[in-house]
Amino acid sequence: MLKLNQIWDNILIETESKVSTLSYDLYINTLTPVGMYRDRFILLAQSQALKNIVEDKYKELLKKCTNKVFPSIIDIEIVTEADLDRLCDVEKEVDIPVSNKFIVNTESTSSFSDKYTFDSFVVGKSNEFAAAVSRAVAEDPGKKYNPLFMWGGVGLGKTHLLHAIGNYINRNNPELRTAYLSSEQFTNELIEALRDPDNNSRRNFRNKYRFLDVLMVDDIQFLAKTEVTQEEFFHTFNELYLANKQIIICSDRPPKEINIAERLKTRFATGIIADIQPPNLETRIAILKKKCLEKGQQVDIKVLQLIAERITTNIREMEGMLNRIISYSTLVGGSCNDMEIVQEALKDYSDSSKEVITIDDIIDETCRYYKIDKKSILGKKKNKEIVIPRQVCIYLITDILSMPLVAIGEYFGGRDHTTIMHARDKISESIKDNQTLALNVKDIKDRLYNR
């Protein structure tokens, strides 16, 4: 049995390529399916004027496209609100033959980790706004805070909140179609779809993502790799946004600092932007307590404080250190609260870690490595001997620290954030092919981490 929206979704996909974007958006995509009566599919127009235009210019096209996907549907009827009372009983779900060239089931579900819920998310000053907005979106998707754009450094809880939203919606509104994916997955699926010479895969790809109720995309910054992917995502975003469907996007930087088309940046910024900053000491200890509770472990507060003081910017790394202590104590048959065992478990880790790395540390280490003075690297000189170390320094700052590009630009003599972005991206691309430069970057990192 097919629901009306599933039938209409597939008709739309077949119709979209047959008319101009303007005609599609103004007329066809504004119609709403209201029922099936025998072999007739009934669509509701928002006004008599719209009904007249569709009947005059697009009804025959709609009939052809409908019949191509659903051969048993012979006719299309356009009605208005005034016509609804006179309609006979109509079917809301229909068992009809489908052309085997098309995928009709537009319902899309994603699996979300059970351990990532709002209850298991520790809220502190650094993330309370993002947590509150995420819960509001989960409770009423598509109605407010749309789109929601969350950004922050690695391991600060963005993915946790995405899964928490998904789990909440699946539990309380299971009829909603949700999808959670990374921008890399979106790109890979699009590439596969484009390889189909008959365009069926491209149609099915659009079918999968443009008719969702909730779309969640992680690591959107990697969308910068291809223009084709950006173009496809732009149209997917528009379709969902205009239909009041919820869009949630995560990144490691704010929209204006992502190297993508300006029109995408603008759309990302039309809703709510929520940043997640590194948690303070109290929040980090609270997170570790929660992790211990989940693992059924009793760990002394002194051990938790040791971990929280050593790891300041990455919750995943903090949990990894906790797991290391628990595993090592089990292996040697001791207690994870024995400070000698804790220090032994972290012996290698402490040798390879520095408690806090600051922007000054990175600049000073880069200057020492390239044998240039700090004034030159922060100044305006553009000779090669200065520019490359400066770009490497900027790359390392963006890679290691969770600092906005605007703040980095201010530190480097008031440079524009786009200049900082260019330096970061240039080194990021160059180290893929330039082995010498890659080794230089690695050497500076090793010095910073005392490796």
Side-chain angles (χ1 to χ4, degrees):
M1 297 291 285
L2 296 177
K3 296 178 181 178
L4 294 178
N5 68 304
Q6 291 176 277
I7 297 172
W8 182 230
D9 286 348
N10 283 272
I11 296 171
L12 284 174
I13 290 172
E14 182 62 27
T15 309
E16 183 181 10
S17 60
K18 307 293 193 303
V19 296
S20 69
T21 302
L22 184 62
S23 296
Y24 178 81
D25 290 340
L26 287 179
Y27 307 118
I28 295 174
N29 200 27
T30 61
L31 301 173
T32 306
V34 292
M36 275 283 299
Y37 182 71
R38 296 180 180 175
D39 57 4
R40 189 165 73 249
F41 193 56
I42 304 170
L43 295 167
L44 177 67
Q46 296 173 358
S47 66
Q48 185 64 44
L50 179 61
K51 173 184 175 180
N52 294 340
I53 292 172
V54 173
E55 287 186 331
D56 182 44
K57 295 186 176 181
Y58 304 107
K59 184 175 178 178
E60 288 305 313
L61 173 63
L62 282 170
K63 285 172 61 176
K64 287 181 181 179
C65 292
T66 301
N67 189 249
K68 186 174 182 180
V69 186
F70 303 100
S72 63
I73 300 179
I74 305 301
D75 198 10
I76 293 284
E77 182 179 356
I78 314 297
V79 299
T80 64
E81 290 281 355
D83 301 318
L84 292 179
D85 291 338
R86 66 171 178 77
L87 290 178
C88 301
D89 292 337
V90 294
E91 300 290 338
K92 300 296 184 182
E93 293 189 14
V94 192
D95 187 8
I96 57 176
V98 182
S99 171
N100 59 14
K101 291 183 180 180
F102 303 94
I103 295 178
V104 174
N105 185 10
T106 61
E107 296 190 15
S108 175
T109 58
S110 296
S111 57
F112 298 97
S113 174
D114 292 338
K115 69 178 183 177
Y116 293 138
T117 65
F118 288 119
D119 290 337
S120 64
F121 188 80
V122 178
V123 179
K125 290 183 178 179
S126 61
N127 60 25
E128 58 185 354
F129 180 66
V133 173
S134 295
R135 182 176 283 276
V137 163
E139 292 173 351
D140 202 6
K143 299 299 188 297
K144 52 185 177 180
Y145 307 136
N146 192 31
L148 168 59
F149 190 103
M150 290 189 289
W151 70 275
V154 175
L156 295 182
K158 302 186 299 296
T159 301
H160 187 136
L161 286 175
L162 288 178
H163 280 261
I165 293 170
N167 281 320
Y168 187 96
I169 291 173
N170 283 350
R171 184 172 63 252
N172 295 281
N173 294 291
E175 74 283 359
L176 295 183
R177 297 163 293 180
T178 63
Y180 163 73
L181 70 158
S182 66
S183 62
E184 184 177 11
Q185 182 182 337
F186 185 89
T187 301
N188 291 339
E189 288 187 22
L190 176 61
I191 291 171
E192 287 299 315
L194 292 174
R195 290 175 179 170
D196 180 10
D198 297 326
N199 288 326
N200 286 337
S201 294
R202 179 76 173 268
R203 182 184 293 109
N204 294 336
F205 174 84
R206 291 180 174 179
N207 195 5
K208 180 177 181 180
Y209 291 115
R210 294 194 187 185
F211 299 104
L212 293 167
D213 295 299
V214 182
L215 173 64
M216 292 180 267
V217 183
D218 209 348
D219 291 324
I220 198 70
Q221 68 272 11
F222 295 122
L223 205 67
K225 293 180 180 179
T226 68
E227 291 184 8
V228 174
T229 309
Q230 290 185 46
E231 180 75 18
E232 187 65 35
F233 189 78
F234 172 79
H235 292 297
T236 300
F237 184 101
N238 278 353
E239 287 281 344
L240 294 173
Y241 183 74
L242 292 172
N244 293 319
K245 304 303 183 182
Q246 184 66 54
I247 304 166
I248 308 165
I249 298 168
C250 282
S251 174
D252 64 353
R253 63 201 73 164
K256 65 180 180 181
E257 295 181 5
I258 304 175
N259 186 23
I260 56 175
E262 195 63 36
R263 59 181 181 172
L264 275 173
K265 292 184 190 180
T266 303
R267 278 158 177 76
F268 292 167
T270 55
I272 290 293
I273 299 176
D275 66 317
I276 304 177
Q277 296 299 321
N280 59 24
L281 179 63
E282 291 76 13
T283 304
R284 296 198 298 275
I285 293 174
I287 291 170
L288 288 168
K289 286 181 178 178
K290 178 84 77 170
K291 297 297 181 185
C292 291
L293 189 63
E294 292 172 1
K295 299 174 190 296
Q297 295 284 340
Q298 293 288 333
V299 182
D300 193 85
I301 186 66
K302 291 182 179 179
V303 177
L304 301 183
Q305 187 166 349
L306 173 69
I307 298 171
E309 288 177 345
R310 186 165 297 183
I311 307 295
T312 61
T313 61
N314 192 316
I315 296 170
R316 288 189 203 132
E317 192 175 352
M318 198 167 61
E319 185 178 5
M321 184 181 281
L322 175 64
N323 290 337
R324 184 171 185 158
I325 292 170
I326 293 172
S327 299
Y328 184 81
S329 63
T330 302
L331 184 66
V332 300
S335 168
C336 59
N337 295 317
D338 185 328
M339 292 307 292
E340 288 188 11
I341 289 178
V342 170
Q343 295 294 349
E344 186 65 24
L346 300 181
K347 180 177 64 176
D348 295 336
Y349 195 99
S350 60
D351 289 340
S352 64
S353 297
K354 186 175 180 181
E355 284 192 15
V356 178
I357 294 176
T358 67
I359 188 170
D360 284 316
D361 292 332
I362 298 172
I363 293 171
D364 291 342
E365 197 59 63
T366 305
C367 289
R368 279 192 291 270
Y369 186 84
Y370 283 105
K371 296 181 174 59
I372 61 176
D373 61 89
K374 191 171 184 178
K375 184 178 178 180
S376 296
I377 206 169
L378 296 177
K380 303 293 185 181
K381 291 182 180 179
K382 295 187 178 180
N383 48 309
K384 185 177 180 181
E385 293 76 13
I386 301 297
V387 170
I388 292 177
R390 182 185 294 138
Q391 291 177 337
V392 167
C393 187
I394 289 170
Y395 168 78
L396 288 167
I397 292 168
T398 59
D399 184 53
I400 295 172
L401 305 180
S402 297
M403 283 185 68
L405 298 190
V406 174
I408 299 172
E410 287 296 322
Y411 208 94
F412 278 77
R415 285 177 165 84
D416 187 81
H417 77 277
T418 56
T419 304
I420 303 301
M421 187 190 304
H422 170 75
R424 177 200 67 198
D425 294 342
K426 184 174 178 61
I427 298 301
S428 179
E429 288 299 316
S430 296
I431 59 178
K432 295 176 183 177
D433 304 315
N434 188 330
Q435 188 175 8
T436 300
L437 182 62
L439 287 172
N440 292 343
V441 171
K442 182 181 181 300
D443 286 344
I444 299 172
K445 266 191 175 182
D446 288 345
R447 293 185 183 189
L448 286 165
Y449 287 108
N450 294 325
R451 291 196 286 249

